[in-house]
Amino acid sequence: MSRLVPYPLLSLALLVMWLLLTRFSLGHLILGSGIALIAGKAMAALQPAQPQIRRWGSVFRLVGIVSLDIVRSNAAVALLILNGGRHGARRSDFLQIPLTLRSQPALALLAIILTATPGTAWLEHDAETGVLLIHVFDMVDEEEWIRLIRDRYEALLLEIFE
């Protein structure tokens, strides 16, 4: 059974999502099942590494910090857009941040955090050098952004995964 459906929860979630986004019929059930099975097989072919979480307490701290940061960032970006920027001028910029984080699941989670936070976007990560390239919507102080990402997010991700 595991060869036919290597990720049963993923396949089931995809099927349910398919049926919620389309109208329910026998044809959509068959088509959605086929797509869900193919997606499960594709995921098995990728063979993602199983993340090893070392400190669950840090996970809950990270969730709290990220949730607060997303709410704050939403408000700050909304104010910047409504007011036309800081003192009438908005400066967006690209920023390179050297990271010590090497765990693939941790880097994926950092990408999700940065992309989910309004005003920032993950653009590229160089695995050899460990340098992360992000875009910041309202750049005021580069060092502050580097400290924020390294001390606030990367430090907790290192505690959790490495």
PDB file of all heavy atoms in Angstrom, residues 62 66 97-117 120-122 125 130 132 134 148-158 161:
ATOM      1  N   LEU A  62       9.284  30.467  18.564  1.00  0.00           N
ATOM      2  CA  LEU A  62       9.402  30.952  17.191  1.00  0.00           C
ATOM      3  C   LEU A  62       8.023  31.269  16.607  1.00  0.00           C
ATOM      4  O   LEU A  62       7.845  32.300  15.959  1.00  0.00           O
ATOM      5  CB  LEU A  62      10.127  29.926  16.322  1.00  0.00           C
ATOM      6  CG  LEU A  62      10.331  30.310  14.853  1.00  0.00           C
ATOM      7  CD1 LEU A  62      11.265  31.515  14.742  1.00  0.00           C
ATOM      8  CD2 LEU A  62      10.887  29.139  14.063  1.00  0.00           C
ATOM      9  N   VAL A  66       7.107  34.970  15.305  1.00  0.00           N
ATOM     10  CA  VAL A  66       6.748  35.166  13.898  1.00  0.00           C
ATOM     11  C   VAL A  66       5.326  35.711  13.786  1.00  0.00           C
ATOM     12  O   VAL A  66       5.060  36.616  12.980  1.00  0.00           O
ATOM     13  CB  VAL A  66       6.921  33.854  13.103  1.00  0.00           C
ATOM     14  CG1 VAL A  66       6.300  33.957  11.722  1.00  0.00           C
ATOM     15  CG2 VAL A  66       8.389  33.485  13.002  1.00  0.00           C
ATOM     16  N   ILE A  97      22.660  38.650   3.448  1.00  0.00           N
ATOM     17  CA  ILE A  97      22.848  38.300   4.853  1.00  0.00           C
ATOM     18  C   ILE A  97      23.609  36.983   4.928  1.00  0.00           C
ATOM     19  O   ILE A  97      23.125  35.951   4.444  1.00  0.00           O
ATOM     20  CB  ILE A  97      21.494  38.156   5.568  1.00  0.00           C
ATOM     21  CG1 ILE A  97      20.692  39.435   5.415  1.00  0.00           C
ATOM     22  CG2 ILE A  97      21.689  37.791   7.022  1.00  0.00           C
ATOM     23  CD1 ILE A  97      19.262  39.308   5.859  1.00  0.00           C
ATOM     24  N   PRO A  98      24.792  36.967   5.544  1.00  0.00           N
ATOM     25  CA  PRO A  98      25.513  35.697   5.725  1.00  0.00           C
ATOM     26  C   PRO A  98      24.860  34.879   6.845  1.00  0.00           C
ATOM     27  O   PRO A  98      24.636  35.389   7.939  1.00  0.00           O
ATOM     28  CB  PRO A  98      26.924  36.133   6.096  1.00  0.00           C
ATOM     29  CG  PRO A  98      26.808  37.536   6.568  1.00  0.00           C
ATOM     30  CD  PRO A  98      25.569  38.123   5.983  1.00  0.00           C
ATOM     31  N   LEU A  99      24.530  33.639   6.533  1.00  0.00           N
ATOM     32  CA  LEU A  99      23.882  32.759   7.506  1.00  0.00           C
ATOM     33  C   LEU A  99      24.809  31.606   7.894  1.00  0.00           C
ATOM     34  O   LEU A  99      25.612  31.155   7.082  1.00  0.00           O
ATOM     35  CB  LEU A  99      22.598  32.165   6.922  1.00  0.00           C
ATOM     36  CG  LEU A  99      21.478  33.117   6.549  1.00  0.00           C
ATOM     37  CD1 LEU A  99      20.341  32.354   5.893  1.00  0.00           C
ATOM     38  CD2 LEU A  99      20.979  33.871   7.754  1.00  0.00           C
ATOM     39  N   THR A 100      24.655  31.129   9.118  1.00  0.00           N
ATOM     40  CA  THR A 100      25.356  29.918   9.535  1.00  0.00           C
ATOM     41  C   THR A 100      24.442  28.700   9.427  1.00  0.00           C
ATOM     42  O   THR A 100      24.898  27.579   9.536  1.00  0.00           O
ATOM     43  CB  THR A 100      25.865  30.050  10.988  1.00  0.00           C
ATOM     44  OG1 THR A 100      24.764  30.339  11.831  1.00  0.00           O
ATOM     45  CG2 THR A 100      26.906  31.148  11.092  1.00  0.00           C
ATOM     46  N   LEU A 101      23.183  28.923   9.216  1.00  0.00           N
ATOM     47  CA  LEU A 101      22.173  27.873   9.094  1.00  0.00           C
ATOM     48  C   LEU A 101      22.440  27.044   7.845  1.00  0.00           C
ATOM     49  O   LEU A 101      22.618  27.586   6.754  1.00  0.00           O
ATOM     50  CB  LEU A 101      20.797  28.546   8.998  1.00  0.00           C
ATOM     51  CG  LEU A 101      19.557  27.754   9.294  1.00  0.00           C
ATOM     52  CD1 LEU A 101      19.584  27.230  10.714  1.00  0.00           C
ATOM     53  CD2 LEU A 101      18.339  28.638   9.112  1.00  0.00           C
ATOM     54  N   ARG A 102      22.459  25.709   7.988  1.00  0.00           N
ATOM     55  CA  ARG A 102      22.720  24.831   6.846  1.00  0.00           C
ATOM     56  C   ARG A 102      21.637  23.758   6.664  1.00  0.00           C
ATOM     57  O   ARG A 102      21.558  23.141   5.618  1.00  0.00           O
ATOM     58  CB  ARG A 102      24.075  24.130   7.001  1.00  0.00           C
ATOM     59  CG  ARG A 102      25.257  25.062   6.952  1.00  0.00           C
ATOM     60  CD  ARG A 102      25.440  25.641   5.571  1.00  0.00           C
ATOM     61  NE  ARG A 102      26.636  26.458   5.493  1.00  0.00           N
ATOM     62  CZ  ARG A 102      26.630  27.775   5.417  1.00  0.00           C
ATOM     63  NH1 ARG A 102      25.500  28.425   5.419  1.00  0.00           N
ATOM     64  NH2 ARG A 102      27.755  28.453   5.340  1.00  0.00           N
ATOM     65  N   SER A 103      20.832  23.532   7.664  1.00  0.00           N
ATOM     66  CA  SER A 103      19.788  22.516   7.608  1.00  0.00           C
ATOM     67  C   SER A 103      18.735  22.895   6.561  1.00  0.00           C
ATOM     68  O   SER A 103      18.192  23.999   6.590  1.00  0.00           O
ATOM     69  CB  SER A 103      19.146  22.387   8.990  1.00  0.00           C
ATOM     70  OG  SER A 103      17.926  21.715   8.911  1.00  0.00           O
ATOM     71  N   GLN A 104      18.446  21.978   5.640  1.00  0.00           N
ATOM     72  CA  GLN A 104      17.467  22.255   4.590  1.00  0.00           C
ATOM     73  C   GLN A 104      16.072  22.551   5.145  1.00  0.00           C
ATOM     74  O   GLN A 104      15.436  23.511   4.714  1.00  0.00           O
ATOM     75  CB  GLN A 104      17.418  21.089   3.596  1.00  0.00           C
ATOM     76  CG  GLN A 104      18.689  20.919   2.790  1.00  0.00           C
ATOM     77  CD  GLN A 104      18.977  22.116   1.905  1.00  0.00           C
ATOM     78  OE1 GLN A 104      18.085  22.682   1.300  1.00  0.00           O
ATOM     79  NE2 GLN A 104      20.238  22.512   1.841  1.00  0.00           N
ATOM     80  N   PRO A 105      15.555  21.763   6.097  1.00  0.00           N
ATOM     81  CA  PRO A 105      14.243  22.104   6.647  1.00  0.00           C
ATOM     82  C   PRO A 105      14.239  23.471   7.345  1.00  0.00           C
ATOM     83  O   PRO A 105      13.267  24.219   7.244  1.00  0.00           O
ATOM     84  CB  PRO A 105      13.961  20.980   7.650  1.00  0.00           C
ATOM     85  CG  PRO A 105      14.802  19.846   7.195  1.00  0.00           C
ATOM     86  CD  PRO A 105      16.028  20.463   6.597  1.00  0.00           C
ATOM     87  N   ALA A 106      15.322  23.805   8.029  1.00  0.00           N
ATOM     88  CA  ALA A 106      15.402  25.101   8.702  1.00  0.00           C
ATOM     89  C   ALA A 106      15.448  26.244   7.697  1.00  0.00           C
ATOM     90  O   ALA A 106      14.798  27.279   7.876  1.00  0.00           O
ATOM     91  CB  ALA A 106      16.626  25.145   9.611  1.00  0.00           C
ATOM     92  N   LEU A 107      16.197  26.066   6.615  1.00  0.00           N
ATOM     93  CA  LEU A 107      16.248  27.095   5.570  1.00  0.00           C
ATOM     94  C   LEU A 107      14.890  27.250   4.889  1.00  0.00           C
ATOM     95  O   LEU A 107      14.462  28.364   4.577  1.00  0.00           O
ATOM     96  CB  LEU A 107      17.323  26.748   4.542  1.00  0.00           C
ATOM     97  CG  LEU A 107      18.764  26.961   5.002  1.00  0.00           C
ATOM     98  CD1 LEU A 107      19.738  26.303   4.037  1.00  0.00           C
ATOM     99  CD2 LEU A 107      19.072  28.437   5.165  1.00  0.00           C
ATOM    100  N   ALA A 108      14.199  26.136   4.677  1.00  0.00           N
ATOM    101  CA  ALA A 108      12.857  26.207   4.081  1.00  0.00           C
ATOM    102  C   ALA A 108      11.907  26.964   5.000  1.00  0.00           C
ATOM    103  O   ALA A 108      11.102  27.782   4.543  1.00  0.00           O
ATOM    104  CB  ALA A 108      12.333  24.796   3.811  1.00  0.00           C
ATOM    105  N   LEU A 109      12.005  26.721   6.297  1.00  0.00           N
ATOM    106  CA  LEU A 109      11.148  27.423   7.250  1.00  0.00           C
ATOM    107  C   LEU A 109      11.488  28.913   7.300  1.00  0.00           C
ATOM    108  O   LEU A 109      10.596  29.757   7.364  1.00  0.00           O
ATOM    109  CB  LEU A 109      11.283  26.792   8.637  1.00  0.00           C
ATOM    110  CG  LEU A 109      10.267  27.217   9.686  1.00  0.00           C
ATOM    111  CD1 LEU A 109       8.842  27.035   9.193  1.00  0.00           C
ATOM    112  CD2 LEU A 109      10.488  26.425  10.955  1.00  0.00           C
ATOM    113  N   LEU A 110      12.767  29.250   7.227  1.00  0.00           N
ATOM    114  CA  LEU A 110      13.167  30.656   7.186  1.00  0.00           C
ATOM    115  C   LEU A 110      12.631  31.327   5.923  1.00  0.00           C
ATOM    116  O   LEU A 110      12.179  32.473   5.970  1.00  0.00           O
ATOM    117  CB  LEU A 110      14.690  30.787   7.260  1.00  0.00           C
ATOM    118  CG  LEU A 110      15.231  32.217   7.269  1.00  0.00           C
ATOM    119  CD1 LEU A 110      14.719  32.999   8.479  1.00  0.00           C
ATOM    120  CD2 LEU A 110      16.755  32.203   7.263  1.00  0.00           C
ATOM    121  N   ALA A 111      12.649  30.617   4.804  1.00  0.00           N
ATOM    122  CA  ALA A 111      12.094  31.165   3.562  1.00  0.00           C
ATOM    123  C   ALA A 111      10.604  31.447   3.713  1.00  0.00           C
ATOM    124  O   ALA A 111      10.108  32.488   3.275  1.00  0.00           O
ATOM    125  CB  ALA A 111      12.333  30.195   2.408  1.00  0.00           C
ATOM    126  N   ILE A 112       9.889  30.549   4.362  1.00  0.00           N
ATOM    127  CA  ILE A 112       8.459  30.740   4.582  1.00  0.00           C
ATOM    128  C   ILE A 112       8.219  31.942   5.490  1.00  0.00           C
ATOM    129  O   ILE A 112       7.342  32.773   5.235  1.00  0.00           O
ATOM    130  CB  ILE A 112       7.825  29.461   5.169  1.00  0.00           C
ATOM    131  CG1 ILE A 112       7.827  28.349   4.131  1.00  0.00           C
ATOM    132  CG2 ILE A 112       6.412  29.728   5.676  1.00  0.00           C
ATOM    133  CD1 ILE A 112       7.509  26.975   4.683  1.00  0.00           C
ATOM    134  N   ILE A 113       9.007  32.047   6.549  1.00  0.00           N
ATOM    135  CA  ILE A 113       8.854  33.157   7.492  1.00  0.00           C
ATOM    136  C   ILE A 113       9.083  34.494   6.792  1.00  0.00           C
ATOM    137  O   ILE A 113       8.280  35.422   6.920  1.00  0.00           O
ATOM    138  CB  ILE A 113       9.821  32.999   8.684  1.00  0.00           C
ATOM    139  CG1 ILE A 113       9.405  31.830   9.560  1.00  0.00           C
ATOM    140  CG2 ILE A 113       9.904  34.284   9.501  1.00  0.00           C
ATOM    141  CD1 ILE A 113      10.451  31.407  10.580  1.00  0.00           C
ATOM    142  N   LEU A 114      10.175  34.594   6.050  1.00  0.00           N
ATOM    143  CA  LEU A 114      10.501  35.868   5.402  1.00  0.00           C
ATOM    144  C   LEU A 114       9.506  36.225   4.309  1.00  0.00           C
ATOM    145  O   LEU A 114       9.179  37.391   4.117  1.00  0.00           O
ATOM    146  CB  LEU A 114      11.921  35.825   4.839  1.00  0.00           C
ATOM    147  CG  LEU A 114      13.023  35.787   5.890  1.00  0.00           C
ATOM    148  CD1 LEU A 114      14.389  35.660   5.232  1.00  0.00           C
ATOM    149  CD2 LEU A 114      12.974  37.018   6.775  1.00  0.00           C
ATOM    150  N   THR A 115       9.024  35.240   3.586  1.00  0.00           N
ATOM    151  CA  THR A 115       8.069  35.516   2.527  1.00  0.00           C
ATOM    152  C   THR A 115       6.682  35.818   3.093  1.00  0.00           C
ATOM    153  O   THR A 115       5.944  36.626   2.527  1.00  0.00           O
ATOM    154  CB  THR A 115       8.018  34.332   1.544  1.00  0.00           C
ATOM    155  OG1 THR A 115       9.352  34.109   1.054  1.00  0.00           O
ATOM    156  CG2 THR A 115       7.124  34.613   0.370  1.00  0.00           C
ATOM    157  N   ALA A 116       6.327  35.212   4.217  1.00  0.00           N
ATOM    158  CA  ALA A 116       5.021  35.463   4.826  1.00  0.00           C
ATOM    159  C   ALA A 116       4.961  36.806   5.549  1.00  0.00           C
ATOM    160  O   ALA A 116       3.882  37.321   5.797  1.00  0.00           O
ATOM    161  CB  ALA A 116       4.676  34.337   5.803  1.00  0.00           C
ATOM    162  N   THR A 117       6.114  37.354   5.868  1.00  0.00           N
ATOM    163  CA  THR A 117       6.146  38.638   6.557  1.00  0.00           C
ATOM    164  C   THR A 117       6.071  39.750   5.525  1.00  0.00           C
ATOM    165  O   THR A 117       6.967  39.874   4.684  1.00  0.00           O
ATOM    166  CB  THR A 117       7.452  38.774   7.380  1.00  0.00           C
ATOM    167  OG1 THR A 117       7.559  37.653   8.251  1.00  0.00           O
ATOM    168  CG2 THR A 117       7.458  40.047   8.184  1.00  0.00           C
ATOM    169  N   THR A 120       9.045  41.862   3.162  1.00  0.00           N
ATOM    170  CA  THR A 120      10.276  41.141   2.851  1.00  0.00           C
ATOM    171  C   THR A 120       9.972  40.007   1.877  1.00  0.00           C
ATOM    172  O   THR A 120       8.855  39.495   1.845  1.00  0.00           O
ATOM    173  CB  THR A 120      10.928  40.522   4.112  1.00  0.00           C
ATOM    174  OG1 THR A 120       9.993  39.632   4.729  1.00  0.00           O
ATOM    175  CG2 THR A 120      11.358  41.586   5.093  1.00  0.00           C
ATOM    176  N   ALA A 121      10.974  39.647   1.107  1.00  0.00           N
ATOM    177  CA  ALA A 121      10.836  38.523   0.178  1.00  0.00           C
ATOM    178  C   ALA A 121      12.178  37.803   0.065  1.00  0.00           C
ATOM    179  O   ALA A 121      13.208  38.436  -0.146  1.00  0.00           O
ATOM    180  CB  ALA A 121      10.383  39.005  -1.195  1.00  0.00           C
ATOM    181  N   TRP A 122      12.157  36.495   0.228  1.00  0.00           N
ATOM    182  CA  TRP A 122      13.330  35.638   0.054  1.00  0.00           C
ATOM    183  C   TRP A 122      13.579  35.524  -1.442  1.00  0.00           C
ATOM    184  O   TRP A 122      12.691  35.161  -2.206  1.00  0.00           O
ATOM    185  CB  TRP A 122      13.007  34.271   0.643  1.00  0.00           C
ATOM    186  CG  TRP A 122      13.991  33.180   0.408  1.00  0.00           C
ATOM    187  CD1 TRP A 122      14.288  32.574  -0.770  1.00  0.00           C
ATOM    188  CD2 TRP A 122      14.791  32.532   1.398  1.00  0.00           C
ATOM    189  NE1 TRP A 122      15.214  31.587  -0.578  1.00  0.00           N
ATOM    190  CE2 TRP A 122      15.541  31.536   0.742  1.00  0.00           C
ATOM    191  CE3 TRP A 122      14.939  32.687   2.764  1.00  0.00           C
ATOM    192  CZ2 TRP A 122      16.427  30.707   1.406  1.00  0.00           C
ATOM    193  CZ3 TRP A 122      15.825  31.860   3.427  1.00  0.00           C
ATOM    194  CH2 TRP A 122      16.558  30.884   2.759  1.00  0.00           C
ATOM    195  N   HIS A 125      19.383  31.872  -2.041  1.00  0.00           N
ATOM    196  CA  HIS A 125      20.317  31.413  -1.003  1.00  0.00           C
ATOM    197  C   HIS A 125      21.439  30.655  -1.693  1.00  0.00           C
ATOM    198  O   HIS A 125      21.192  29.705  -2.436  1.00  0.00           O
ATOM    199  CB  HIS A 125      19.619  30.511   0.016  1.00  0.00           C
ATOM    200  CG  HIS A 125      20.553  29.989   1.051  1.00  0.00           C
ATOM    201  ND1 HIS A 125      21.095  28.728   0.977  1.00  0.00           N
ATOM    202  CD2 HIS A 125      21.059  30.562   2.162  1.00  0.00           C
ATOM    203  CE1 HIS A 125      21.886  28.544   2.020  1.00  0.00           C
ATOM    204  NE2 HIS A 125      21.890  29.646   2.745  1.00  0.00           N
ATOM    205  N   GLY A 130      26.548  30.362   1.973  1.00  0.00           N
ATOM    206  CA  GLY A 130      25.590  30.585   3.044  1.00  0.00           C
ATOM    207  C   GLY A 130      24.998  31.982   3.035  1.00  0.00           C
ATOM    208  O   GLY A 130      24.384  32.402   4.012  1.00  0.00           O
ATOM    209  N   LEU A 132      22.343  34.757   2.048  1.00  0.00           N
ATOM    210  CA  LEU A 132      20.925  34.883   1.717  1.00  0.00           C
ATOM    211  C   LEU A 132      20.685  36.250   1.094  1.00  0.00           C
ATOM    212  O   LEU A 132      21.178  37.270   1.599  1.00  0.00           O
ATOM    213  CB  LEU A 132      20.089  34.743   2.993  1.00  0.00           C
ATOM    214  CG  LEU A 132      18.617  35.114   2.928  1.00  0.00           C
ATOM    215  CD1 LEU A 132      17.874  34.166   2.011  1.00  0.00           C
ATOM    216  CD2 LEU A 132      18.021  35.097   4.316  1.00  0.00           C
ATOM    217  N   ILE A 134      17.716  38.887   0.183  1.00  0.00           N
ATOM    218  CA  ILE A 134      16.304  39.212   0.381  1.00  0.00           C
ATOM    219  C   ILE A 134      16.021  40.593  -0.189  1.00  0.00           C
ATOM    220  O   ILE A 134      16.932  41.389  -0.421  1.00  0.00           O
ATOM    221  CB  ILE A 134      15.877  39.159   1.875  1.00  0.00           C
ATOM    222  CG1 ILE A 134      16.569  40.254   2.685  1.00  0.00           C
ATOM    223  CG2 ILE A 134      16.103  37.798   2.459  1.00  0.00           C
ATOM    224  CD1 ILE A 134      15.986  40.426   4.080  1.00  0.00           C
ATOM    225  N   LEU A 148      18.072  41.500  12.956  1.00  0.00           N
ATOM    226  CA  LEU A 148      16.726  40.944  13.135  1.00  0.00           C
ATOM    227  C   LEU A 148      16.664  39.505  12.639  1.00  0.00           C
ATOM    228  O   LEU A 148      16.209  38.607  13.352  1.00  0.00           O
ATOM    229  CB  LEU A 148      15.700  41.797  12.384  1.00  0.00           C
ATOM    230  CG  LEU A 148      14.301  41.203  12.361  1.00  0.00           C
ATOM    231  CD1 LEU A 148      13.495  41.740  13.524  1.00  0.00           C
ATOM    232  CD2 LEU A 148      13.612  41.466  11.054  1.00  0.00           C
ATOM    233  N   ILE A 149      17.155  39.263  11.447  1.00  0.00           N
ATOM    234  CA  ILE A 149      17.051  37.923  10.863  1.00  0.00           C
ATOM    235  C   ILE A 149      17.991  36.938  11.545  1.00  0.00           C
ATOM    236  O   ILE A 149      17.602  35.812  11.853  1.00  0.00           O
ATOM    237  CB  ILE A 149      17.288  37.991   9.346  1.00  0.00           C
ATOM    238  CG1 ILE A 149      16.102  38.705   8.709  1.00  0.00           C
ATOM    239  CG2 ILE A 149      17.478  36.601   8.754  1.00  0.00           C
ATOM    240  CD1 ILE A 149      16.277  39.080   7.282  1.00  0.00           C
ATOM    241  N   ARG A 150      19.202  37.364  11.826  1.00  0.00           N
ATOM    242  CA  ARG A 150      20.163  36.441  12.445  1.00  0.00           C
ATOM    243  C   ARG A 150      19.859  36.194  13.918  1.00  0.00           C
ATOM    244  O   ARG A 150      19.934  35.056  14.382  1.00  0.00           O
ATOM    245  CB  ARG A 150      21.573  36.963  12.268  1.00  0.00           C
ATOM    246  CG  ARG A 150      22.021  36.798  10.823  1.00  0.00           C
ATOM    247  CD  ARG A 150      23.276  37.498  10.515  1.00  0.00           C
ATOM    248  NE  ARG A 150      24.407  36.786  11.067  1.00  0.00           N
ATOM    249  CZ  ARG A 150      25.641  37.268  11.054  1.00  0.00           C
ATOM    250  NH1 ARG A 150      25.892  38.432  10.528  1.00  0.00           N
ATOM    251  NH2 ARG A 150      26.630  36.584  11.559  1.00  0.00           N
ATOM    252  N   ASP A 151      19.529  37.221  14.689  1.00  0.00           N
ATOM    253  CA  ASP A 151      19.315  37.058  16.127  1.00  0.00           C
ATOM    254  C   ASP A 151      17.907  36.578  16.461  1.00  0.00           C
ATOM    255  O   ASP A 151      17.703  35.870  17.439  1.00  0.00           O
ATOM    256  CB  ASP A 151      19.587  38.368  16.865  1.00  0.00           C
ATOM    257  CG  ASP A 151      21.032  38.815  16.742  1.00  0.00           C
ATOM    258  OD1 ASP A 151      21.875  38.001  16.320  1.00  0.00           O
ATOM    259  OD2 ASP A 151      21.314  39.987  17.049  1.00  0.00           O
ATOM    260  N   ARG A 152      16.936  36.983  15.670  1.00  0.00           N
ATOM    261  CA  ARG A 152      15.546  36.674  15.997  1.00  0.00           C
ATOM    262  C   ARG A 152      15.092  35.348  15.402  1.00  0.00           C
ATOM    263  O   ARG A 152      14.444  34.555  16.054  1.00  0.00           O
ATOM    264  CB  ARG A 152      14.667  37.813  15.495  1.00  0.00           C
ATOM    265  CG  ARG A 152      13.329  37.901  16.121  1.00  0.00           C
ATOM    266  CD  ARG A 152      12.726  39.251  15.748  1.00  0.00           C
ATOM    267  NE  ARG A 152      11.375  39.376  16.185  1.00  0.00           N
ATOM    268  CZ  ARG A 152      11.016  39.859  17.356  1.00  0.00           C
ATOM    269  NH1 ARG A 152      11.931  40.255  18.207  1.00  0.00           N
ATOM    270  NH2 ARG A 152       9.744  39.942  17.690  1.00  0.00           N
ATOM    271  N   TYR A 153      15.421  35.115  14.121  1.00  0.00           N
ATOM    272  CA  TYR A 153      14.943  33.907  13.452  1.00  0.00           C
ATOM    273  C   TYR A 153      16.008  32.822  13.360  1.00  0.00           C
ATOM    274  O   TYR A 153      15.762  31.676  13.734  1.00  0.00           O
ATOM    275  CB  TYR A 153      14.440  34.245  12.041  1.00  0.00           C
ATOM    276  CG  TYR A 153      13.337  35.267  12.006  1.00  0.00           C
ATOM    277  CD1 TYR A 153      13.364  36.320  11.107  1.00  0.00           C
ATOM    278  CD2 TYR A 153      12.261  35.193  12.873  1.00  0.00           C
ATOM    279  CE1 TYR A 153      12.358  37.258  11.066  1.00  0.00           C
ATOM    280  CE2 TYR A 153      11.246  36.129  12.843  1.00  0.00           C
ATOM    281  CZ  TYR A 153      11.303  37.160  11.932  1.00  0.00           C
ATOM    282  OH  TYR A 153      10.306  38.083  11.903  1.00  0.00           O
ATOM    283  N   GLU A 154      17.173  33.171  12.848  1.00  0.00           N
ATOM    284  CA  GLU A 154      18.200  32.150  12.634  1.00  0.00           C
ATOM    285  C   GLU A 154      18.636  31.510  13.948  1.00  0.00           C
ATOM    286  O   GLU A 154      18.812  30.291  14.019  1.00  0.00           O
ATOM    287  CB  GLU A 154      19.419  32.748  11.916  1.00  0.00           C
ATOM    288  CG  GLU A 154      20.453  31.682  11.589  1.00  0.00           C
ATOM    289  CD  GLU A 154      21.725  32.231  10.985  1.00  0.00           C
ATOM    290  OE1 GLU A 154      22.060  33.403  11.220  1.00  0.00           O
ATOM    291  OE2 GLU A 154      22.399  31.463  10.276  1.00  0.00           O
ATOM    292  N   ALA A 155      18.773  32.297  15.002  1.00  0.00           N
ATOM    293  CA  ALA A 155      19.200  31.739  16.294  1.00  0.00           C
ATOM    294  C   ALA A 155      18.205  30.684  16.790  1.00  0.00           C
ATOM    295  O   ALA A 155      18.611  29.612  17.256  1.00  0.00           O
ATOM    296  CB  ALA A 155      19.354  32.856  17.318  1.00  0.00           C
ATOM    297  N   LEU A 156      16.909  30.970  16.686  1.00  0.00           N
ATOM    298  CA  LEU A 156      15.908  29.988  17.117  1.00  0.00           C
ATOM    299  C   LEU A 156      15.889  28.770  16.200  1.00  0.00           C
ATOM    300  O   LEU A 156      15.737  27.640  16.663  1.00  0.00           O
ATOM    301  CB  LEU A 156      14.523  30.637  17.161  1.00  0.00           C
ATOM    302  CG  LEU A 156      14.242  31.470  18.401  1.00  0.00           C
ATOM    303  CD1 LEU A 156      12.934  32.214  18.274  1.00  0.00           C
ATOM    304  CD2 LEU A 156      14.217  30.591  19.643  1.00  0.00           C
ATOM    305  N   LEU A 157      16.046  28.984  14.900  1.00  0.00           N
ATOM    306  CA  LEU A 157      16.071  27.849  13.979  1.00  0.00           C
ATOM    307  C   LEU A 157      17.286  26.958  14.225  1.00  0.00           C
ATOM    308  O   LEU A 157      17.191  25.733  14.096  1.00  0.00           O
ATOM    309  CB  LEU A 157      16.047  28.348  12.531  1.00  0.00           C
ATOM    310  CG  LEU A 157      14.702  28.927  12.083  1.00  0.00           C
ATOM    311  CD1 LEU A 157      14.850  29.652  10.760  1.00  0.00           C
ATOM    312  CD2 LEU A 157      13.655  27.841  11.999  1.00  0.00           C
ATOM    313  N   LEU A 158      18.404  27.559  14.602  1.00  0.00           N
ATOM    314  CA  LEU A 158      19.580  26.757  14.965  1.00  0.00           C
ATOM    315  C   LEU A 158      19.299  25.918  16.213  1.00  0.00           C
ATOM    316  O   LEU A 158      19.698  24.763  16.288  1.00  0.00           O
ATOM    317  CB  LEU A 158      20.789  27.664  15.186  1.00  0.00           C
ATOM    318  CG  LEU A 158      21.451  28.217  13.917  1.00  0.00           C
ATOM    319  CD1 LEU A 158      22.452  29.307  14.278  1.00  0.00           C
ATOM    320  CD2 LEU A 158      22.111  27.105  13.127  1.00  0.00           C
ATOM    321  N   PHE A 161      16.726  22.990  14.980  1.00  0.00           N
ATOM    322  CA  PHE A 161      17.118  21.978  14.001  1.00  0.00           C
ATOM    323  C   PHE A 161      18.556  21.505  14.073  1.00  0.00           C
ATOM    324  O   PHE A 161      18.874  20.428  13.608  1.00  0.00           O
ATOM    325  CB  PHE A 161      16.855  22.494  12.574  1.00  0.00           C
ATOM    326  CG  PHE A 161      15.401  22.594  12.256  1.00  0.00           C
ATOM    327  CD1 PHE A 161      14.768  23.812  12.220  1.00  0.00           C
ATOM    328  CD2 PHE A 161      14.662  21.456  11.985  1.00  0.00           C
ATOM    329  CE1 PHE A 161      13.418  23.915  11.916  1.00  0.00           C
ATOM    330  CE2 PHE A 161      13.320  21.536  11.679  1.00  0.00           C
ATOM    331  CZ  PHE A 161      12.694  22.773  11.643  1.00  0.00           C
TER     332      PHE A 161
END
